[in-house]
């Protein structure tokens, strides 16, 4: 896969003094929209944080874009190409958890930093982690703990998830999270479906059969990347069996199809109207002006990764890997969600999450969610799972 340089914004040929950053995303395939949002957010973040100059410490910033098509082998190859042939100072990526996991050993081999965004698998900052890995995106345990904090009572839970690394990792984390928050709810069923599933009839029937005679409340948690099956499940009228749907947050084009399910609750790591800070105000205003729509959650993620990059380079006053690691361990930095910091033990960014419900009275096509509660990072006790 050839390198695609963002030559509309940066010089096509970098000088030796340029800071070079590889941004690797899965712009081809099922997660294309996530990748495009990440790229948009990353570029807007660099623009905002450098005052439009696209330079730091007196050095121009050059971003090299690569598409790994969400394929682990290609992700590994492109990262090696970035570190070796392109001689980037650091890299950011990628969209798929499977592809991100394949990249981790490459960072260790080349002794260069990889900031993981937006992949969420716990293993990235868990048993597959190495000291060159930092993650700005939330992980599966943060998702799980946020959701579990809303289900502390009794009842019965079933899961529907995609049958690959993200889905299975998320359900595992969700079950562990329920135990950690002391929830009395019992998990009675786990259903895993292929990523490209379009007919959920058989899966839904198995879930309904497992839940319908169990203690209330009966909750079906949906863990799904890409086009979400909530509408199809709702059409099967789970309320006949006293079953409530609990979707995880999704991208705006998906969530705006949920308008008929006002009052349905879930958790999400970003919705443009929730955080109140100067950085998010600029992102929402500028993105709406440029794209006629508010920023989505992966746009905010890309912006957050850019903030981590600029904060690290500014603090280290160097692009040397060891100086960057020293600067980044425990580093606090501003994001559209507010303050985050990289935990020293595993380099996971600790961050707030949000408990939402779908609005009944929506003023426009993007007025979708009402915040029930911000869940601060201090209430999300993410366990350290690496072997440092």
């Amino acid at each position: 896969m050839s390198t695609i340089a963002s030559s509309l914004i940066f010089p096509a040929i970098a000088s030796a003094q340029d800071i070079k950053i590889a941004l690797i995303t899965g712009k081809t395939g099922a997660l294309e929209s996530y990748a495009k949002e990440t790229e948009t957010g990353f570029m807007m973040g660099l623009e905002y944080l450098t005052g439009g100059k696209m330079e730091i410490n007196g050095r121009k910033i050059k971003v090299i874009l690569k598409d790994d098509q969400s394929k682990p082998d290609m992700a590994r190859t492109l990262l090696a190409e970035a570190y070796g042939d392109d001689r980037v100072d650091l890299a950011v990526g990628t969209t798929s958890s499977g592809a991100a996991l394949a990249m981790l050993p490459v960072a260790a081999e080349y002794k260069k930093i990889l900031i993981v965004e937006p992949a969420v698998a716990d293993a990235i900052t868990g048993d597959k982690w190495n000291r060159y890995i930092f993650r700005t995106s939330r992980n599966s345990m943060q998702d799980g703990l946020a959701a579990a904090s809303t289900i502390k009572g009794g009842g019965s839970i079933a899961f529907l998830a995609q049958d690959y690394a993200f889905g299975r990792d998320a359900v595992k984390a969700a079950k562990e999270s329920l135990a950690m928050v002391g929830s009395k709810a019992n998990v009675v069923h786990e259903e895993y479906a292929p990523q490209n599933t379009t007919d959920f009839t058989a899966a839904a029937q198995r879930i309904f059969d497992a839940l319908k005679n169990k203690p209330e409340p009966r909750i079906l948690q949906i863990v799904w990347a890409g086009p979400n099956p909530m509408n199809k499940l709702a059409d099967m009228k789970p309320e006949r069996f006293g079953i409530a749907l609990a979707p995880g947050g999704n991208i705006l084009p998906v969530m705006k199809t949920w308008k008929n399910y006002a009052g349905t609750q879930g958790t999400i790591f970003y919705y443009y109207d929730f955080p109140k800070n100067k950085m998010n105000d600029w992102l929402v205003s500028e993105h709406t002006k440029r794209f006629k729509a508010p920023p989505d959650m992966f746009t905010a993620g890309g912006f957050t990764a850019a903030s981590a990059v600029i904060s690290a380079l500014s603090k280290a006053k160097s692009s040397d890997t060891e100086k960057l690691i020293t600067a980044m361990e425990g580093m606090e930095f501003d994001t559209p969600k507010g303050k985050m910091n990289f935990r020293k033990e595993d380099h996971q960014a600790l961050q707030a999450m949000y408990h939402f419900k779908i609005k009944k009275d929506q003023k426009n096509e993007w007025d979708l969610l009402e915040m029930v509660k911000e869940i601060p990072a201090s209430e999300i006790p993410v366990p350290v799972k690496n072997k440092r």
Side-chain angles (χ1 to χ4, degrees):
M1 186 75 183
S2 61
T3 296
I4 306 171
S6 48
S7 56
L8 291 178
I9 300 177
F10 302 106
I13 301 175
S15 75
Q17 296 304 309
D18 288 342
I19 291 175
K20 292 191 285 185
I21 304 164
L23 177 62
I24 302 174
T25 58
K27 291 175 68 174
T28 304
L31 303 180
E32 174 186 355
S33 57
Y34 296 7
K36 288 182 175 179
E37 288 181 8
T38 301
E39 181 183 325
T40 296
F42 189 74
M43 301 307 290
M44 289 185 73
L46 291 179
E47 175 188 349
Y48 175 84
L49 293 157
T50 64
K53 295 180 179 179
M54 294 297 182
E55 64 178 46
I56 182 76
N57 300 334
R59 299 167 64 186
K60 290 290 184 182
I61 299 171
K62 176 181 172 61
V63 177
I64 299 172
L65 305 177
K66 296 175 184 285
D67 175 15
D68 64 20
Q69 300 179 28
S70 293
K71 297 177 180 177
D73 288 349
M74 185 171 287
R76 185 166 47 242
T77 298
L78 290 179
L79 186 59
E81 174 185 288
Y83 290 144
D85 299 342
D86 301 325
R87 297 186 178 279
V88 300
D89 295 285
L90 70 161
V92 177
T94 183
T95 316
S96 160
S97 287
L101 286 164
M103 294 165 71
L104 307 187
V106 180
E109 178 185 351
Y110 283 87
K111 294 182 170 55
K112 292 281 188 178
I113 285 173
L114 171 65
I115 296 176
V116 176
E117 176 68 46
V120 302
D122 280 336
I124 293 168
T125 43
D127 63 345
K128 303 298 183 185
W129 176 87
N130 63 67
R131 67 189 294 268
Y132 302 97
I133 307 305
F134 289 79
R135 175 158 51 187
T136 49
S137 64
R138 89 290 186 198
N139 64 15
S140 291
M141 279 302 300
Q142 286 166 312
D143 278 345
L145 285 163
S149 73
T150 71
I151 316 173
K152 290 186 178 180
S156 308
I157 300 174
F159 291 97
L160 172 64
Q162 287 158 309
D163 192 8
Y164 79 115
F166 164 71
R168 289 189 173 274
D169 199 66
V171 172
K172 179 182 176 183
K175 291 165 63 180
E176 185 177 340
S177 297
L178 287 166
M180 287 179 64
V181 302
S183 173
K184 295 179 175 61
N186 291 316
V187 176
V188 301
H189 187 76
E190 299 171 31
E191 185 75 27
Y192 297 95
Q195 287 178 264
N196 58 355
T197 299
T198 56
D199 184 354
F200 292 89
T201 306
Q205 194 59 56
R206 287 190 290 270
I207 294 168
F208 295 168
D209 287 346
L211 275 174
K212 64 184 181 182
N213 294 318
K214 297 299 190 295
E216 295 183 314
R218 302 172 187 135
I219 299 169
L220 168 52
Q221 285 204 340
I222 305 166
V223 182
W224 207 268
N228 192 285
M230 192 177 90
N231 288 340
K232 293 182 178 181
L233 292 166
D235 287 344
M236 297 177 208
K237 302 191 181 304
E239 66 274 14
R240 290 177 295 150
F241 308 108
I243 298 170
L245 302 181
N250 211 302
I251 56 176
L252 294 172
V254 171
M255 292 196 297
K256 77 175 185 177
T257 70
W258 297 352
K259 291 183 179 181
N260 292 333
Y261 311 109
T264 299
Q265 299 189 29
T267 50
I268 195 169
F269 75 90
Y270 175 85
Y271 174 69
Y272 70 92
D273 194 44
F274 289 171
K276 305 300 180 185
N277 59 70
K278 183 178 178 182
M279 186 176 284
N280 192 56
D281 289 347
W282 182 89
L283 174 59
V284 172
S285 174
E286 281 300 310
H287 194 280
T288 303
K289 186 187 305 181
R290 298 178 193 185
F291 302 102
K292 311 304 180 190
D296 219 329
M297 55 187 189
F298 294 107
T299 320
F303 199 116
T304 296
S307 181
V309 168
I310 295 300
S311 298
L313 290 167
S314 177
K315 185 178 178 183
K317 294 181 171 52
S318 170
S319 58
D320 174 77
T321 296
E322 290 303 319
K323 290 180 180 178
L324 286 172
I325 291 174
T326 298
M328 293 172 76
E329 288 192 334
M331 182 182 78
E332 185 176 79
F333 55 104
D334 290 314
T335 82
K337 289 174 61 175
K339 298 282 187 184
M340 290 188 191
N341 71 283
F342 285 125
R343 183 165 56 182
K344 186 173 183 179
E345 291 84 355
D346 61 0
H347 302 172
Q348 172 64 51
L350 304 181
Q351 56 196 280
M353 303 286 280
Y354 305 95
H355 179 189
F356 72 82
K357 66 179 177 181
I358 299 173
K359 278 188 173 183
K360 181 178 180 181
D361 299 315
Q362 300 182 0
K363 298 173 184 176
N364 57 62
E365 68 174 324
W366 305 119
D367 183 29
L368 308 174
L369 306 182
E370 175 183 340
M371 183 163 66
V372 176
K373 180 190 176 185
E374 177 176 330
I375 308 167
S378 61
E379 295 181 15
I380 306 174
V382 186
V384 177
K385 292 189 171 185
N386 63 12
K387 298 176 182 177
R388 185 167 191 172

